[in-house]
Short mmCIF file of all heavy atoms in Angstrom, two decimals:
data_model
loop_
_atom_site.label_atom_id
_atom_site.label_comp_id
_atom_site.label_asym_id
_atom_site.label_seq_id
_atom_site.Cartn_x
_atom_site.Cartn_y
_atom_site.Cartn_z
N ILE A 1 -0.51 149.68 17.96
CA ILE A 1 -0.11 151.00 17.48
C ILE A 1 0.48 151.77 18.65
O ILE A 1 -0.13 151.83 19.73
CB ILE A 1 -1.30 151.74 16.86
CG1 ILE A 1 -1.86 150.91 15.70
CG2 ILE A 1 -0.89 153.13 16.41
CD1 ILE A 1 -3.18 151.37 15.17
N PHE A 2 1.67 152.35 18.43
CA PHE A 2 2.40 153.06 19.47
C PHE A 2 2.72 154.48 19.01
O PHE A 2 2.86 154.73 17.82
CB PHE A 2 3.74 152.36 19.78
CG PHE A 2 3.61 150.96 20.26
CD1 PHE A 2 3.59 149.89 19.38
CD2 PHE A 2 3.50 150.69 21.61
CE1 PHE A 2 3.49 148.58 19.82
CE2 PHE A 2 3.40 149.39 22.08
CZ PHE A 2 3.39 148.33 21.18
N THR A 3 2.90 155.38 19.98
CA THR A 3 3.46 156.69 19.66
C THR A 3 4.96 156.50 19.43
O THR A 3 5.52 155.45 19.77
CB THR A 3 3.26 157.68 20.82
OG1 THR A 3 3.98 157.20 21.97
CG2 THR A 3 1.80 157.88 21.15
N VAL A 4 5.63 157.51 18.90
CA VAL A 4 7.07 157.39 18.69
C VAL A 4 7.81 157.33 20.03
O VAL A 4 8.95 156.86 20.08
CB VAL A 4 7.62 158.54 17.81
CG1 VAL A 4 7.15 158.40 16.39
CG2 VAL A 4 7.26 159.89 18.37
N GLU A 5 7.18 157.76 21.11
CA GLU A 5 7.78 157.67 22.44
C GLU A 5 7.64 156.26 23.02
O GLU A 5 8.22 155.94 24.03
CB GLU A 5 7.13 158.68 23.40
CG GLU A 5 7.47 160.12 23.08
CD GLU A 5 6.55 160.71 22.02
OE1 GLU A 5 5.44 160.17 21.80
OE2 GLU A 5 6.96 161.69 21.40
N GLY A 6 6.80 155.41 22.41
CA GLY A 6 6.64 154.03 22.86
C GLY A 6 5.38 153.75 23.64
O GLY A 6 5.20 152.63 24.12
N SER A 7 4.50 154.71 23.80
CA SER A 7 3.24 154.48 24.52
C SER A 7 2.24 153.76 23.63
O SER A 7 2.05 154.13 22.47
CB SER A 7 2.64 155.81 24.96
OG SER A 7 3.50 156.49 25.83
N LEU A 8 1.60 152.74 24.17
CA LEU A 8 0.59 151.99 23.42
C LEU A 8 -0.64 152.86 23.22
O LEU A 8 -1.20 153.40 24.17
CB LEU A 8 0.21 150.71 24.16
CG LEU A 8 -0.84 149.84 23.49
CD1 LEU A 8 -0.33 149.29 22.16
CD2 LEU A 8 -1.24 148.69 24.40
N VAL A 9 -1.06 153.00 21.97
CA VAL A 9 -2.23 153.80 21.62
C VAL A 9 -3.45 152.91 21.48
O VAL A 9 -4.51 153.18 22.02
CB VAL A 9 -1.99 154.59 20.31
CG1 VAL A 9 -3.24 155.31 19.86
CG2 VAL A 9 -0.83 155.55 20.47
N ARG A 10 -3.31 151.81 20.74
CA ARG A 10 -4.46 150.95 20.45
C ARG A 10 -3.98 149.55 20.06
O ARG A 10 -2.94 149.40 19.43
CB ARG A 10 -5.26 151.56 19.30
CG ARG A 10 -6.54 150.88 18.93
CD ARG A 10 -7.58 151.06 20.03
NE ARG A 10 -8.77 150.34 19.70
CZ ARG A 10 -9.98 150.84 19.75
NH1 ARG A 10 -10.16 152.07 20.13
NH2 ARG A 10 -11.01 150.10 19.46
N THR A 11 -4.76 148.55 20.41
CA THR A 11 -4.54 147.18 19.97
C THR A 11 -5.74 146.76 19.14
O THR A 11 -6.88 146.89 19.59
CB THR A 11 -4.37 146.22 21.17
OG1 THR A 11 -3.26 146.67 21.95
CG2 THR A 11 -4.13 144.80 20.71
N LEU A 12 -5.48 146.28 17.94
CA LEU A 12 -6.54 145.84 17.02
C LEU A 12 -6.36 144.36 16.74
O LEU A 12 -5.23 143.90 16.54
CB LEU A 12 -6.47 146.63 15.71
CG LEU A 12 -6.52 148.15 15.82
CD1 LEU A 12 -6.18 148.78 14.48
CD2 LEU A 12 -7.90 148.59 16.27
N GLU A 13 -7.46 143.62 16.72
CA GLU A 13 -7.43 142.19 16.41
C GLU A 13 -8.10 141.96 15.06
O GLU A 13 -9.19 142.49 14.82
CB GLU A 13 -8.17 141.39 17.48
CG GLU A 13 -7.58 141.50 18.87
CD GLU A 13 -6.30 140.71 19.05
OE1 GLU A 13 -6.09 139.74 18.29
OE2 GLU A 13 -5.53 141.07 19.94
N LYS A 14 -7.48 141.17 14.21
CA LYS A 14 -8.09 140.80 12.93
C LYS A 14 -8.32 139.30 12.94
O LYS A 14 -7.38 138.53 13.13
CB LYS A 14 -7.19 141.18 11.76
CG LYS A 14 -7.80 140.80 10.41
CD LYS A 14 -6.90 141.23 9.28
CE LYS A 14 -7.48 140.89 7.95
NZ LYS A 14 -7.76 139.49 7.73
N THR A 15 -9.56 138.90 12.76
CA THR A 15 -9.90 137.47 12.76
C THR A 15 -10.78 137.11 11.57
O THR A 15 -11.38 136.05 11.56
CB THR A 15 -10.63 137.08 14.06
OG1 THR A 15 -11.79 137.90 14.20
CG2 THR A 15 -9.74 137.23 15.27
N SER A 16 -10.86 137.98 10.58
CA SER A 16 -11.72 137.70 9.42
C SER A 16 -11.01 136.75 8.46
O SER A 16 -9.85 136.42 8.62
CB SER A 16 -12.07 139.00 8.70
OG SER A 16 -10.91 139.63 8.22
N GLY A 17 -11.72 136.33 7.46
CA GLY A 17 -11.20 135.38 6.49
C GLY A 17 -10.06 135.92 5.64
O GLY A 17 -9.70 137.09 5.71
N THR A 18 -9.50 135.04 4.83
CA THR A 18 -8.34 135.41 4.01
C THR A 18 -8.71 136.33 2.86
O THR A 18 -7.83 136.95 2.27
CB THR A 18 -7.68 134.15 3.44
OG1 THR A 18 -8.66 133.42 2.69
CG2 THR A 18 -7.11 133.28 4.54
N THR A 19 -9.99 136.46 2.51
CA THR A 19 -10.37 137.32 1.40
C THR A 19 -10.34 138.79 1.77
O THR A 19 -10.25 139.65 0.91
CB THR A 19 -11.79 136.97 0.89
OG1 THR A 19 -12.71 137.08 1.97
CG2 THR A 19 -11.81 135.56 0.34
N ASP A 20 -10.43 139.10 3.07
CA ASP A 20 -10.40 140.49 3.53
C ASP A 20 -9.07 140.74 4.22
O ASP A 20 -8.89 140.35 5.37
CB ASP A 20 -11.56 140.76 4.48
CG ASP A 20 -11.59 142.21 4.96
OD1 ASP A 20 -10.98 143.07 4.30
OD2 ASP A 20 -12.21 142.46 6.00
N GLY A 21 -8.15 141.41 3.57
CA GLY A 21 -6.82 141.65 4.11
C GLY A 21 -6.65 143.00 4.75
O GLY A 21 -5.55 143.52 4.82
N SER A 22 -7.74 143.61 5.23
CA SER A 22 -7.61 144.95 5.81
C SER A 22 -8.32 145.02 7.16
O SER A 22 -9.12 144.17 7.51
CB SER A 22 -8.21 146.00 4.86
OG SER A 22 -9.60 145.80 4.72
N VAL A 23 -7.96 146.07 7.90
CA VAL A 23 -8.56 146.34 9.20
C VAL A 23 -8.88 147.83 9.24
O VAL A 23 -8.12 148.64 8.73
CB VAL A 23 -7.57 145.97 10.32
CG1 VAL A 23 -7.60 146.89 11.49
CG2 VAL A 23 -7.79 144.57 10.80
N THR A 24 -10.02 148.18 9.82
CA THR A 24 -10.36 149.59 9.96
C THR A 24 -10.17 150.00 11.41
O THR A 24 -10.27 149.18 12.32
CB THR A 24 -11.81 149.87 9.53
OG1 THR A 24 -12.69 149.08 10.32
CG2 THR A 24 -12.00 149.57 8.06
#
């Protein structure tokens, strides 16, 4: 996730199974 200026805000990793298609 980046600001519109291009600064990195956060990196999220998703490694759960295929039944859960979301990340919080």
